[in-house]
Amino acid sequence: MRLTAIGEAFALARPFRIARSTTTVRDVITVTLEADGRRGWGEGIPYARYGESVEAALAAIEAVRPAIEAGIGRDELQTLMPPAAARNAVDCALWDWAGDAPPAPSSVITAMTIGIDTPEAMANATRAEGSAPLLKIKVDADNAEARVRAVRAAAPHTKLIVDPNESWDVAMVERAMPWLAELGVALLEQPVPSDADAGLSRIEALVPIAADESMHSRAELDAVAERYGIVNIKLDKTGGLTEALLLAAAAKARGLRVMTGCMICTSLSIAPALRVAALSEFADLDGPSWLSEDRAGGVRFADGYAHAPSPGFWGD
């Protein structure tokens, strides 16, 4: 097996603003594996929120290069690398090389994201999404209700996700529950910091709460099941499709609902995530739609749907 791992940068078409940061360029790592006349590739998004960087992710891959090039399988990889972007890129490349990934749906409804801005600008961005059936509204602790109300007024019948990206506290969640329910919000995603979410277990959740930053792999399931009703599965957190599929099954067995999410990324991240989306109630996979230019043959977005990549792009 021949391994190639590189860092790449993809410019965004417009700034992406959430509670903790504004992104204009997405740095990724791309892994390619070649053997026996076949090629597989995968992508990882090193995320600063989790202490990751492109340099550290590439170093982590280099540390296990001998084992990968000796031909280890996906199960062995789980014991060699922790769940993170580096393992995700290698794991997905192994799936692609083997060609035995579960089938992908031809299309899924995906949340289209409305970044933080003034209420008026967020309403305008909502109208620009047209008939999209699902929107994710990014908010912080400032003026959140006005922002969500502006989006709801611009999209009176659309299903809404509200995502504070850990910027609220438990008391604010309690205060927000009545107006979130009044506005028909479908779920509230990771409202409080992952290390301060114990109080969520005492809240009457008029709107279901989803774990994002609090949910990485099956190791967190016990704590998450006490505090949340939905888990947001992202391959960069689980460390690849292998753990993501296992986590989806384990979460459902615990009575948790399942959502599939992504970072800002290229279609190389979305192609394997579509396999998890097929098992999920919600999908938030619009990451490539924020890029100035995606990888050729990737996912196509139209009217709030993500359509599978061209044949041969990944997993075939």
Side-chain angles (χ1 to χ4, degrees):
M1 182 77 73
R2 180 174 179 268
L3 163 70
T4 304
I6 61 172
E8 298 184 87
F10 291 82
L12 273 63
R14 59 199 186 281
F16 181 76
R17 183 184 171 198
I18 64 174
R20 72 171 67 94
S21 64
T22 299
T23 303
T24 57
V25 175
R26 172 55 76 214
D27 294 317
V28 313
I29 57 170
T30 306
V31 167
T32 304
L33 300 174
E34 296 174 281
D36 302 327
R38 294 182 57 85
R39 189 199 76 159
W41 64 338
E43 177 178 282
I45 313 300
Y47 203 47
R49 165 64 179 80
Y50 305 126
E52 298 177 278
S53 67
V54 168
E55 295 76 18
L58 292 175
I61 293 170
E62 284 301 315
V64 296
R65 174 184 290 276
I68 295 170
E69 293 193 330
I72 64 165
R74 297 188 297 259
D75 291 342
E76 296 164 285
L77 180 68
Q78 312 307 304
T79 66
L80 285 181
M81 303 182 75
R87 192 178 81 186
N88 179 29
V90 178
D91 183 73
C92 289
L94 286 169
W95 276 100
D96 187 33
W97 177 82
D100 58 356
S106 59
S107 64
V108 298
I109 293 174
T110 179
M112 303 304 292
T113 304
I114 307 298
I116 295 176
D117 209 322
T118 65
E120 295 76 15
M122 293 175 73
N124 289 336
T126 298
R127 285 186 281 269
E129 292 294 346
S131 60
L134 178 63
L135 296 174
K136 175 186 265 194
I137 310 167
K138 294 289 189 178
V139 297
D140 54 19
D142 178 37
N143 214 20
E145 182 178 352
R147 286 166 163 156
V148 177
R149 286 191 180 278
V151 171
R152 172 52 83 204
H157 306 298
T158 301
K159 188 176 289 188
L160 301 180
I161 298 169
V162 172
D163 185 6
N165 283 109
E166 303 182 282
S167 63
W168 295 4
D169 58 24
V170 172
M172 186 170 180
V173 175
E174 289 187 286
R175 292 194 302 270
M177 278 294 166
W179 62 259
L180 290 168
E182 174 204 338
L183 294 174
V185 171
L187 71 87
L188 176 65
E189 185 178 343
Q190 195 68 50
V192 304
S194 61
D195 61 358
D197 63 356
L200 293 178
S201 63
R202 301 188 298 271
I203 286 179
E204 181 184 2
L206 303 177
V207 170
I209 305 176
D212 182 3
E213 285 85 353
S214 291
M215 180 82 265
H216 289 253
S217 65
R218 286 170 292 165
E220 291 85 30
L221 263 181
D222 287 343
V224 163
E226 295 177 357
R227 302 165 189 177
Y228 300 89
I230 303 174
V231 296
N232 185 358
I233 299 175
K234 295 178 180 176
L235 272 63
D236 283 302
K237 296 187 302 175
T238 65
L241 181 59
T242 300
E243 175 64 19
L245 293 172
L246 293 170
L247 174 56
K252 287 185 174 185
R254 293 290 297 268
L256 292 164
R257 299 158 71 187
V258 174
M259 172 182 180
T260 303
C262 69
M263 312 298 186
I264 298 294
C265 59
T266 82
S267 287
L268 185 52
S269 285
I270 301 304
L274 286 171
R275 276 68 180 179
V276 186
L279 309 173
S280 303
E281 183 176 347
F282 296 93
D284 173 25
L285 300 176
D286 69 333
S289 73
W290 286 81
L291 301 179
S292 294
E293 186 175 357
D294 192 9
R295 300 185 193 267
V299 176
R300 182 174 61 86
F301 295 92
D303 300 320
Y305 284 77
H307 298 274
S310 300
F313 182 82
W314 189 92
D316 300 322

PDB file of all heavy atoms in Angstrom, residues 15-21 113-118 121-122 137-142 147 163-165 167 290:
ATOM      1  N   PRO A  15     -17.799  34.701   3.783  1.00  0.00           N
ATOM      2  CA  PRO A  15     -17.410  34.354   5.153  1.00  0.00           C
ATOM      3  C   PRO A  15     -18.495  33.529   5.844  1.00  0.00           C
ATOM      4  O   PRO A  15     -19.699  33.756   5.652  1.00  0.00           O
ATOM      5  CB  PRO A  15     -17.235  35.717   5.832  1.00  0.00           C
ATOM      6  CG  PRO A  15     -16.968  36.669   4.708  1.00  0.00           C
ATOM      7  CD  PRO A  15     -17.785  36.167   3.561  1.00  0.00           C
ATOM      8  N   PHE A  16     -18.049  32.578   6.654  1.00  0.00           N
ATOM      9  CA  PHE A  16     -18.937  31.712   7.418  1.00  0.00           C
ATOM     10  C   PHE A  16     -18.760  32.071   8.886  1.00  0.00           C
ATOM     11  O   PHE A  16     -17.719  31.806   9.485  1.00  0.00           O
ATOM     12  CB  PHE A  16     -18.578  30.244   7.175  1.00  0.00           C
ATOM     13  CG  PHE A  16     -19.447  29.256   7.910  1.00  0.00           C
ATOM     14  CD1 PHE A  16     -20.730  28.978   7.474  1.00  0.00           C
ATOM     15  CD2 PHE A  16     -18.970  28.592   9.038  1.00  0.00           C
ATOM     16  CE1 PHE A  16     -21.533  28.055   8.143  1.00  0.00           C
ATOM     17  CE2 PHE A  16     -19.762  27.660   9.705  1.00  0.00           C
ATOM     18  CZ  PHE A  16     -21.040  27.400   9.263  1.00  0.00           C
ATOM     19  N   ARG A  17     -19.794  32.677   9.478  1.00  0.00           N
ATOM     20  CA  ARG A  17     -19.673  33.174  10.847  1.00  0.00           C
ATOM     21  C   ARG A  17     -20.530  32.352  11.789  1.00  0.00           C
ATOM     22  O   ARG A  17     -21.733  32.167  11.563  1.00  0.00           O
ATOM     23  CB  ARG A  17     -20.098  34.642  10.922  1.00  0.00           C
ATOM     24  CG  ARG A  17     -19.928  35.226  12.325  1.00  0.00           C
ATOM     25  CD  ARG A  17     -20.434  36.650  12.418  1.00  0.00           C
ATOM     26  NE  ARG A  17     -20.445  37.095  13.818  1.00  0.00           N
ATOM     27  CZ  ARG A  17     -21.150  38.141  14.271  1.00  0.00           C
ATOM     28  NH1 ARG A  17     -21.868  38.849  13.416  1.00  0.00           N
ATOM     29  NH2 ARG A  17     -21.123  38.461  15.542  1.00  0.00           N
ATOM     30  N   ILE A  18     -19.895  31.830  12.853  1.00  0.00           N
ATOM     31  CA  ILE A  18     -20.587  31.164  13.936  1.00  0.00           C
ATOM     32  C   ILE A  18     -20.194  31.857  15.238  1.00  0.00           C
ATOM     33  O   ILE A  18     -19.454  32.846  15.220  1.00  0.00           O
ATOM     34  CB  ILE A  18     -20.280  29.655  13.987  1.00  0.00           C
ATOM     35  CG1 ILE A  18     -18.798  29.404  14.297  1.00  0.00           C
ATOM     36  CG2 ILE A  18     -20.661  28.998  12.666  1.00  0.00           C
ATOM     37  CD1 ILE A  18     -18.450  27.936  14.516  1.00  0.00           C
ATOM     38  N   ALA A  19     -20.671  31.350  16.374  1.00  0.00           N
ATOM     39  CA  ALA A  19     -20.448  32.032  17.645  1.00  0.00           C
ATOM     40  C   ALA A  19     -18.978  32.179  17.991  1.00  0.00           C
ATOM     41  O   ALA A  19     -18.566  33.172  18.583  1.00  0.00           O
ATOM     42  CB  ALA A  19     -21.184  31.288  18.760  1.00  0.00           C
ATOM     43  N   ARG A  20     -18.159  31.177  17.625  1.00  0.00           N
ATOM     44  CA  ARG A  20     -16.766  31.210  18.074  1.00  0.00           C
ATOM     45  C   ARG A  20     -15.776  31.720  17.037  1.00  0.00           C
ATOM     46  O   ARG A  20     -14.623  31.982  17.359  1.00  0.00           O
ATOM     47  CB  ARG A  20     -16.324  29.811  18.541  1.00  0.00           C
ATOM     48  CG  ARG A  20     -16.122  28.792  17.443  1.00  0.00           C
ATOM     49  CD  ARG A  20     -15.465  27.520  17.994  1.00  0.00           C
ATOM     50  NE  ARG A  20     -16.371  26.832  18.895  1.00  0.00           N
ATOM     51  CZ  ARG A  20     -17.192  25.857  18.522  1.00  0.00           C
ATOM     52  NH1 ARG A  20     -17.215  25.468  17.259  1.00  0.00           N
ATOM     53  NH2 ARG A  20     -17.992  25.275  19.375  1.00  0.00           N
ATOM     54  N   SER A  21     -16.176  31.846  15.767  1.00  0.00           N
ATOM     55  CA  SER A  21     -15.186  32.193  14.745  1.00  0.00           C
ATOM     56  C   SER A  21     -15.855  32.587  13.444  1.00  0.00           C
ATOM     57  O   SER A  21     -17.052  32.359  13.238  1.00  0.00           O
ATOM     58  CB  SER A  21     -14.255  30.991  14.483  1.00  0.00           C
ATOM     59  OG  SER A  21     -15.003  29.904  13.950  1.00  0.00           O
ATOM     60  N   THR A 113     -27.288  26.427   5.848  1.00  0.00           N
ATOM     61  CA  THR A 113     -26.913  27.204   7.024  1.00  0.00           C
ATOM     62  C   THR A 113     -27.049  28.704   6.803  1.00  0.00           C
ATOM     63  O   THR A 113     -26.590  29.241   5.794  1.00  0.00           O
ATOM     64  CB  THR A 113     -25.467  26.878   7.430  1.00  0.00           C
ATOM     65  OG1 THR A 113     -25.356  25.463   7.633  1.00  0.00           O
ATOM     66  CG2 THR A 113     -25.089  27.594   8.712  1.00  0.00           C
ATOM     67  N   ILE A 114     -27.660  29.361   7.785  1.00  0.00           N
ATOM     68  CA  ILE A 114     -27.757  30.817   7.815  1.00  0.00           C
ATOM     69  C   ILE A 114     -26.775  31.308   8.874  1.00  0.00           C
ATOM     70  O   ILE A 114     -26.964  31.084  10.073  1.00  0.00           O
ATOM     71  CB  ILE A 114     -29.185  31.287   8.167  1.00  0.00           C
ATOM     72  CG1 ILE A 114     -30.222  30.633   7.235  1.00  0.00           C
ATOM     73  CG2 ILE A 114     -29.275  32.808   8.112  1.00  0.00           C
ATOM     74  CD1 ILE A 114     -30.064  30.972   5.773  1.00  0.00           C
ATOM     75  N   GLY A 115     -25.680  31.932   8.434  1.00  0.00           N
ATOM     76  CA  GLY A 115     -24.651  32.385   9.359  1.00  0.00           C
ATOM     77  C   GLY A 115     -25.101  33.580  10.183  1.00  0.00           C
ATOM     78  O   GLY A 115     -26.078  34.268   9.851  1.00  0.00           O
ATOM     79  N   ILE A 116     -24.379  33.831  11.275  1.00  0.00           N
ATOM     80  CA  ILE A 116     -24.715  34.946  12.162  1.00  0.00           C
ATOM     81  C   ILE A 116     -24.541  36.289  11.442  1.00  0.00           C
ATOM     82  O   ILE A 116     -23.514  36.551  10.823  1.00  0.00           O
ATOM     83  CB  ILE A 116     -23.830  34.931  13.417  1.00  0.00           C
ATOM     84  CG1 ILE A 116     -24.110  33.677  14.253  1.00  0.00           C
ATOM     85  CG2 ILE A 116     -24.066  36.178  14.268  1.00  0.00           C
ATOM     86  CD1 ILE A 116     -23.215  33.554  15.458  1.00  0.00           C
ATOM     87  N   ASP A 117     -25.581  37.111  11.548  1.00  0.00           N
ATOM     88  CA  ASP A 117     -25.553  38.456  10.986  1.00  0.00           C
ATOM     89  C   ASP A 117     -26.653  39.246  11.682  1.00  0.00           C
ATOM     90  O   ASP A 117     -27.220  38.776  12.681  1.00  0.00           O
ATOM     91  CB  ASP A 117     -25.761  38.394   9.464  1.00  0.00           C
ATOM     92  CG  ASP A 117     -25.084  39.549   8.723  1.00  0.00           C
ATOM     93  OD1 ASP A 117     -25.104  40.681   9.252  1.00  0.00           O
ATOM     94  OD2 ASP A 117     -24.550  39.326   7.625  1.00  0.00           O
ATOM     95  N   THR A 118     -26.970  40.415  11.176  1.00  0.00           N
ATOM     96  CA  THR A 118     -28.109  41.145  11.723  1.00  0.00           C
ATOM     97  C   THR A 118     -29.386  40.373  11.404  1.00  0.00           C
ATOM     98  O   THR A 118     -29.430  39.579  10.439  1.00  0.00           O
ATOM     99  CB  THR A 118     -28.207  42.537  11.103  1.00  0.00           C
ATOM    100  OG1 THR A 118     -28.483  42.399   9.688  1.00  0.00           O
ATOM    101  CG2 THR A 118     -26.925  43.334  11.299  1.00  0.00           C
ATOM    102  N   ALA A 121     -30.304  40.888   7.749  1.00  0.00           N
ATOM    103  CA  ALA A 121     -29.445  40.175   6.805  1.00  0.00           C
ATOM    104  C   ALA A 121     -29.719  38.674   6.844  1.00  0.00           C
ATOM    105  O   ALA A 121     -29.686  38.004   5.798  1.00  0.00           O
ATOM    106  CB  ALA A 121     -27.979  40.451   7.115  1.00  0.00           C
ATOM    107  N   MET A 122     -30.015  38.139   8.018  1.00  0.00           N
ATOM    108  CA  MET A 122     -30.328  36.714   8.115  1.00  0.00           C
ATOM    109  C   MET A 122     -31.667  36.396   7.450  1.00  0.00           C
ATOM    110  O   MET A 122     -31.823  35.347   6.822  1.00  0.00           O
ATOM    111  CB  MET A 122     -30.297  36.269   9.579  1.00  0.00           C
ATOM    112  CG  MET A 122     -28.892  36.321  10.183  1.00  0.00           C
ATOM    113  SD  MET A 122     -28.808  35.946  11.955  1.00  0.00           S
ATOM    114  CE  MET A 122     -29.087  34.174  11.959  1.00  0.00           C
ATOM    115  N   ILE A 137     -29.869  27.746  11.754  1.00  0.00           N
ATOM    116  CA  ILE A 137     -29.636  29.142  12.093  1.00  0.00           C
ATOM    117  C   ILE A 137     -28.507  29.213  13.105  1.00  0.00           C
ATOM    118  O   ILE A 137     -28.622  28.695  14.222  1.00  0.00           O
ATOM    119  CB  ILE A 137     -30.899  29.786  12.698  1.00  0.00           C
ATOM    120  CG1 ILE A 137     -32.123  29.511  11.818  1.00  0.00           C
ATOM    121  CG2 ILE A 137     -30.696  31.278  12.896  1.00  0.00           C
ATOM    122  CD1 ILE A 137     -33.436  29.844  12.505  1.00  0.00           C
ATOM    123  N   LYS A 138     -27.415  29.837  12.738  1.00  0.00           N
ATOM    124  CA  LYS A 138     -26.313  30.065  13.663  1.00  0.00           C
ATOM    125  C   LYS A 138     -26.614  31.304  14.505  1.00  0.00           C
ATOM    126  O   LYS A 138     -26.977  32.362  13.968  1.00  0.00           O
ATOM    127  CB  LYS A 138     -25.005  30.260  12.897  1.00  0.00           C
ATOM    128  CG  LYS A 138     -24.526  29.018  12.141  1.00  0.00           C
ATOM    129  CD  LYS A 138     -24.039  27.936  13.076  1.00  0.00           C
ATOM    130  CE  LYS A 138     -23.371  26.796  12.322  1.00  0.00           C
ATOM    131  NZ  LYS A 138     -22.853  25.753  13.235  1.00  0.00           N
ATOM    132  N   VAL A 139     -26.448  31.155  15.821  1.00  0.00           N
ATOM    133  CA  VAL A 139     -26.647  32.272  16.731  1.00  0.00           C
ATOM    134  C   VAL A 139     -25.544  32.260  17.780  1.00  0.00           C
ATOM    135  O   VAL A 139     -24.787  31.289  17.895  1.00  0.00           O
ATOM    136  CB  VAL A 139     -28.031  32.212  17.434  1.00  0.00           C
ATOM    137  CG1 VAL A 139     -29.164  32.331  16.438  1.00  0.00           C
ATOM    138  CG2 VAL A 139     -28.162  30.934  18.265  1.00  0.00           C
ATOM    139  N   ASP A 140     -25.464  33.351  18.542  1.00  0.00           N
ATOM    140  CA  ASP A 140     -24.638  33.379  19.743  1.00  0.00           C
ATOM    141  C   ASP A 140     -25.538  33.846  20.878  1.00  0.00           C
ATOM    142  O   ASP A 140     -26.771  33.736  20.787  1.00  0.00           O
ATOM    143  CB  ASP A 140     -23.384  34.234  19.553  1.00  0.00           C
ATOM    144  CG  ASP A 140     -23.690  35.641  19.083  1.00  0.00           C
ATOM    145  OD1 ASP A 140     -24.850  36.100  19.245  1.00  0.00           O
ATOM    146  OD2 ASP A 140     -22.781  36.307  18.552  1.00  0.00           O
ATOM    147  N   ALA A 141     -24.960  34.350  21.956  1.00  0.00           N
ATOM    148  CA  ALA A 141     -25.771  34.767  23.102  1.00  0.00           C
ATOM    149  C   ALA A 141     -26.367  36.156  22.934  1.00  0.00           C
ATOM    150  O   ALA A 141     -27.152  36.598  23.767  1.00  0.00           O
ATOM    151  CB  ALA A 141     -24.922  34.712  24.374  1.00  0.00           C
ATOM    152  N   ASP A 142     -26.039  36.832  21.865  1.00  0.00           N
ATOM    153  CA  ASP A 142     -26.492  38.203  21.632  1.00  0.00           C
ATOM    154  C   ASP A 142     -27.666  38.219  20.656  1.00  0.00           C
ATOM    155  O   ASP A 142     -27.521  37.815  19.491  1.00  0.00           O
ATOM    156  CB  ASP A 142     -25.324  39.048  21.083  1.00  0.00           C
ATOM    157  CG  ASP A 142     -25.745  40.472  20.783  1.00  0.00           C
ATOM    158  OD1 ASP A 142     -26.564  41.021  21.539  1.00  0.00           O
ATOM    159  OD2 ASP A 142     -25.252  41.033  19.789  1.00  0.00           O
ATOM    160  N   ARG A 147     -32.953  37.149  16.014  1.00  0.00           N
ATOM    161  CA  ARG A 147     -32.410  36.536  14.807  1.00  0.00           C
ATOM    162  C   ARG A 147     -33.257  35.352  14.355  1.00  0.00           C
ATOM    163  O   ARG A 147     -33.557  35.203  13.157  1.00  0.00           O
ATOM    164  CB  ARG A 147     -30.963  36.109  15.056  1.00  0.00           C
ATOM    165  CG  ARG A 147     -29.989  37.282  15.097  1.00  0.00           C
ATOM    166  CD  ARG A 147     -28.646  36.908  15.671  1.00  0.00           C
ATOM    167  NE  ARG A 147     -27.632  37.903  15.338  1.00  0.00           N
ATOM    168  CZ  ARG A 147     -26.525  38.101  16.027  1.00  0.00           C
ATOM    169  NH1 ARG A 147     -26.274  37.375  17.123  1.00  0.00           N
ATOM    170  NH2 ARG A 147     -25.650  39.012  15.643  1.00  0.00           N
ATOM    171  N   ASP A 163     -28.517  26.681  16.240  1.00  0.00           N
ATOM    172  CA  ASP A 163     -27.203  26.206  16.689  1.00  0.00           C
ATOM    173  C   ASP A 163     -26.392  27.345  17.304  1.00  0.00           C
ATOM    174  O   ASP A 163     -25.777  28.133  16.592  1.00  0.00           O
ATOM    175  CB  ASP A 163     -26.444  25.599  15.503  1.00  0.00           C
ATOM    176  CG  ASP A 163     -25.119  24.986  15.919  1.00  0.00           C
ATOM    177  OD1 ASP A 163     -24.832  24.917  17.122  1.00  0.00           O
ATOM    178  OD2 ASP A 163     -24.361  24.559  15.023  1.00  0.00           O
ATOM    179  N   PRO A 164     -26.330  27.416  18.648  1.00  0.00           N
ATOM    180  CA  PRO A 164     -25.521  28.438  19.304  1.00  0.00           C
ATOM    181  C   PRO A 164     -24.036  28.112  19.396  1.00  0.00           C
ATOM    182  O   PRO A 164     -23.258  28.935  19.896  1.00  0.00           O
ATOM    183  CB  PRO A 164     -26.129  28.520  20.714  1.00  0.00           C
ATOM    184  CG  PRO A 164     -27.468  27.860  20.619  1.00  0.00           C
ATOM    185  CD  PRO A 164     -27.278  26.795  19.589  1.00  0.00           C
ATOM    186  N   ASN A 165     -23.622  26.912  18.973  1.00  0.00           N
ATOM    187  CA  ASN A 165     -22.199  26.535  19.036  1.00  0.00           C
ATOM    188  C   ASN A 165     -21.586  26.800  20.414  1.00  0.00           C
ATOM    189  O   ASN A 165     -20.566  27.478  20.530  1.00  0.00           O
ATOM    190  CB  ASN A 165     -21.384  27.253  17.957  1.00  0.00           C
ATOM    191  CG  ASN A 165     -21.582  26.643  16.582  1.00  0.00           C
ATOM    192  OD1 ASN A 165     -22.212  27.262  15.731  1.00  0.00           O
ATOM    193  ND2 ASN A 165     -21.073  25.439  16.352  1.00  0.00           N
ATOM    194  N   SER A 167     -22.387  28.719  22.888  1.00  0.00           N
ATOM    195  CA  SER A 167     -22.264  30.097  23.365  1.00  0.00           C
ATOM    196  C   SER A 167     -23.268  30.473  24.451  1.00  0.00           C
ATOM    197  O   SER A 167     -23.185  31.564  25.015  1.00  0.00           O
ATOM    198  CB  SER A 167     -22.402  31.069  22.188  1.00  0.00           C
ATOM    199  OG  SER A 167     -23.689  30.972  21.600  1.00  0.00           O
ATOM    200  N   TRP A 290     -20.440  26.224   0.639  1.00  0.00           N
ATOM    201  CA  TRP A 290     -19.824  27.489   1.046  1.00  0.00           C
ATOM    202  C   TRP A 290     -18.518  27.766   0.308  1.00  0.00           C
ATOM    203  O   TRP A 290     -17.962  28.858   0.427  1.00  0.00           O
ATOM    204  CB  TRP A 290     -19.569  27.473   2.555  1.00  0.00           C
ATOM    205  CG  TRP A 290     -20.821  27.633   3.346  1.00  0.00           C
ATOM    206  CD1 TRP A 290     -21.740  26.658   3.656  1.00  0.00           C
ATOM    207  CD2 TRP A 290     -21.327  28.847   3.900  1.00  0.00           C
ATOM    208  NE1 TRP A 290     -22.771  27.193   4.367  1.00  0.00           N
ATOM    209  CE2 TRP A 290     -22.550  28.533   4.537  1.00  0.00           C
ATOM    210  CE3 TRP A 290     -20.865  30.162   3.931  1.00  0.00           C
ATOM    211  CZ2 TRP A 290     -23.315  29.501   5.188  1.00  0.00           C
ATOM    212  CZ3 TRP A 290     -21.620  31.127   4.586  1.00  0.00           C
ATOM    213  CH2 TRP A 290     -22.833  30.793   5.204  1.00  0.00           C
TER     214      TRP A 290
END
